[in-house]
Amino acid sequence: MSLSKMMPLIQKYPVIPSMVTFGLLFPGANIIQQTCFKKHKAGSKEVDWGEVTRFSIYGGFLHGPLIYNWVNLISRLLPKTTVPHVILKVMVDQVCFAPVMLSTFLIVHSIMEGKNLEEVTQQWKDKFIPTYATGACVWPVLTAVNYKIVPLKFRSIYIAICNFFWIIFLAHQRSRKVPWKSPLLRILI
């Protein structure tokens, strides 16, 4: 299918580019995490294709549409790109949206792996606070750039590209036996 034939579909359903982008970047980030950071048996660099598939499904069908709709909602609610408005958007993003997205990521992936309620709850308890604290060091800058500089129609794609590197971290974080200690928590605690 040529791009000219796809354009009416994309214009009718503007969430599709976000879904495709996240659906490709999430498994790509997971493959990098598995091959570069995951501990394998000596000499083995096996990729868990089931995990890659779960990342693709989650990225394309859940994360992509949620990001697309969030970026559009907050841009409609706070349309200005003045510094005070950008700061407000970043604060709302970090307080309202980031905890929901991180919780969704941790819970949905645990469920897709077949974990029971107790295991899902324990995974969330172990990983949420240190991961959220790390995100609080990274995402405010990235979202400020997004809301100040990036045109609205490219914002979810910009976030997807930033997410590529964040997902490598999240995938590594999920696979760690010993929970990550955020630099922010090291300073505060």
Side-chain angles (χ1 to χ4, degrees):
M1 181 180 275
S2 69
L3 187 58
S4 63
K5 290 182 181 178
M6 289 176 50
M7 287 312 291
L9 183 66
I10 290 170
Q11 288 171 342
K12 187 174 180 181
Y13 304 104
V15 72
I16 289 175
S18 184
M19 292 175 69
V20 170
T21 303
F22 279 95
L24 294 172
L25 290 179
F26 265 61
N30 180 255
I31 290 169
I32 290 172
Q33 180 272 329
Q34 285 191 49
T35 56
C36 297
F37 302 105
K38 199 171 192 178
K39 293 184 179 176
H40 296 281
K41 296 174 187 155
S44 170
K45 287 275 186 184
E46 273 187 43
V47 172
D48 177 350
W49 292 105
E51 185 174 308
V52 172
T53 302
R54 288 189 296 275
F55 270 74
S56 183
I57 291 167
Y58 174 83
F61 292 105
L62 189 61
H63 204 90
L66 287 173
I67 291 288
Y68 173 83
N69 286 302
W70 170 254
V71 166
N72 282 293
L73 173 67
I74 198 165
S75 295
R76 272 195 318 273
L77 294 175
L78 301 166
K80 295 181 182 175
T81 58
T82 62
V83 171
H85 279 91
V86 169
I87 291 170
L88 181 59
K89 286 180 192 180
V90 169
M91 289 172 47
V92 170
D93 192 272
Q94 287 301 298
V95 173
C96 298
F97 189 66
V100 171
M101 285 309 296
L102 178 56
S103 293
T104 301
F105 176 84
L106 294 170
I107 292 167
V108 169
H109 275 279
S110 294
I111 291 168
M112 287 196 304
E113 289 173 349
K115 293 184 177 177
N116 64 38
L117 181 59
E118 184 179 314
E119 293 168 319
V120 170
T121 304
Q122 191 59 50
Q123 167 92 352
W124 186 88
K125 284 179 181 178
D126 291 345
K127 309 287 172 121
F128 179 80
I129 295 295
T131 307
Y132 179 74
T134 302
C137 296
V138 175
W139 282 105
V141 173
L142 297 174
T143 54
V145 167
N146 192 35
Y147 293 129
K148 182 69 179 161
I149 298 171
V150 179
L152 179 59
K153 66 181 179 179
F154 298 119
R155 287 183 183 162
S156 64
I157 303 300
Y158 167 83
I159 291 294
I161 294 165
C162 296
N163 250 300
F164 178 76
F165 300 100
W166 180 245
I167 294 306
I168 294 171
F169 170 75
L170 286 181
H172 180 62
Q173 178 67 336
R174 284 195 75 257
S175 69
R176 291 174 60 101
K177 299 294 182 217
V178 177
W180 163 263
K181 182 84 170 182
S182 167
L184 182 61
L185 293 179
R186 290 180 197 163
I187 292 168
L188 297 176
I189 297 176

